[in-house]
Amino acid sequence: MAQPSVVVLDYGSGNLRSAVRAVERAGASVELTSDMDAALAADGLLVPGVGAYEACMKGLREIRGERIIGRRLSGGRPVLGICVGMQILFARGVEHGVETEGCDEWPGVVERLQAPIVPHMGWNTLDVPEGTELFAGVEDERFYFVHSYGVRTWELVTNDRTKAPLVTWAEHGGDRFVAAVENGALSATQFHPEKSGDAGAALLRNWVQSLKSA
Amino acid sequence: MTLAVRVIPCLDVDGGRVVKGINFENLRDAGDPVELAKVYDREGADELTFLDISASSDARGTTMEIVSKVAEEVFIPLTVGGGVRAVADVDRLLRAGADKVGVNTAAITRPELIAEIADRFGSQVLVLSVDARRAAGTASGFEVTTHGGRQSAGIDAVEWAIRAAELGAGEILLNSMDADGTRDGFDLEMLRAVRAEVSIPVIASGGAGAAEHFAPAVDAGADAVLAASVFHFGTLRIGEVKSALAGAGHPVR
């Protein structure tokens, strides 16, 4: 069977090399590009992101990234956000008092973590929900985080017609925040699977393998 | 759910080769950085730190190639320091595959550099490296040094850490120039002094000589522990350090 194709969305500086290599290692053929047609055509789209929320949204808008993500999701085509690439999927971000509109795929605000030591930097355990596919086999592993902001509350609305997102939480210094989301075609992690050693590799393999059957 | 204490081997790199000096003098060659990085990854290192001590720009170019190779083969966080003087240097290192950059002397000369880097790439990429030693007559009892600990920078170490955190440093690598190379253990007093005043992560560095030296550093407030020669000359294995930390009740990966 042919390898699934993945585009790593290039919309600014930062370490994208590791993301590209990690997804290749997970069994995909990978292209690093900001080209809309390529990003729409790939089996999977990975949205990375480091640095400030506002700067990331600005970079994303410059390559029409919101539109790329939205169009993929309306067709049920997989997207994986990582770190700030996850945060920008929420309604808005507040950093240094500056409020920035996000992609609004999910409700919620990205705000500063309320912990004695910030950034939350290092390998942490997770509270992974039943039914996870992304974490299959690595539910109890530690993953590498490096961030000062997060989604600290999420009121999950469920009814007969919609399936609630599967939300994985993590905790640092008494504060609790979203560590990962699995929501149909749209998944995301606050931590860096591409920097999380073997556990991260397993998670990326789970995602890449899901692309074949998608 | 608690963060694991990070155990970080540090590789001093000159012209693409790993070296480590005792108190930064008498450098000894200790191998290929890419191979060492892979070994450390396999042994359970939580991060890697490269300190580029190259004097020439040619040699720095070689380091950039090494960073790329390591980033392509090792999937744990990589910090690279040494010779970072401008935002453009940070950009180059991140593009080569570094996750974080260490800044030292250039920030002492021009503290605004910290804010410039943090504004552009976020605090989380910036590790402020502080080479400090005991000094009578300073407010905290510790002063910042330059030139591998040989010269005083004329700044109080704790005050510098506070200022750097305010300017946007994401983490402090606190290297004791008194303890460095002695293998007698970390400078716990200095760690406690800095920990008490900053709310960003602190990495303890300098003086590690035995597995039992690491837990006291964490007790003193370190979020991570860094060592160089004890790891790459094989005096200690990463696993031994983690066992000792776990035995003292500290979470490890």
Side-chain angles (χ1 to χ4, degrees), chain B residues 10 12 20-24 49 51 53 103-104 127-134 142-149 157 160-161 172-182 185-188 190-191 194 202-208 224-228:
Chain B
C10 175
D12 291 356
K20 173 64 188 178
I22 307 304
N23 283 326
F24 288 87
T49 291
L51 182 60
I53 57 169
V103 179
N104 190 337
V127 184
L128 181 79
S129 190
V130 180
D131 293 340
R133 68 183 175 194
R134 282 153 190 269
F142 303 96
E143 69 172 357
V144 179
T145 68
T146 59
H147 300 81
W160 176 228
I172 287 175
L173 169 57
L174 186 62
N175 189 28
S176 165
M177 301 316 293
D178 298 316
D180 193 71
T182 64
F186 296 94
D187 189 332
L188 304 179
M190 188 164 83
L191 277 168
V194 172
V202 175
I203 306 168
S205 166
V225 287
L226 178 142

Side-chain angles (χ1 to χ4, degrees), chain B residues 38-62:
Chain B
K38 284 193 207 167
V39 169
Y40 287 142
D41 178 27
R42 271 201 304 277
E43 294 205 333
D46 297 307
E47 283 186 35
L48 291 171
T49 291
F50 277 19
L51 182 60
D52 184 6
I53 57 169
S54 305
S56 73
S57 56
D58 277 5
R60 285 197 191 286
T62 310

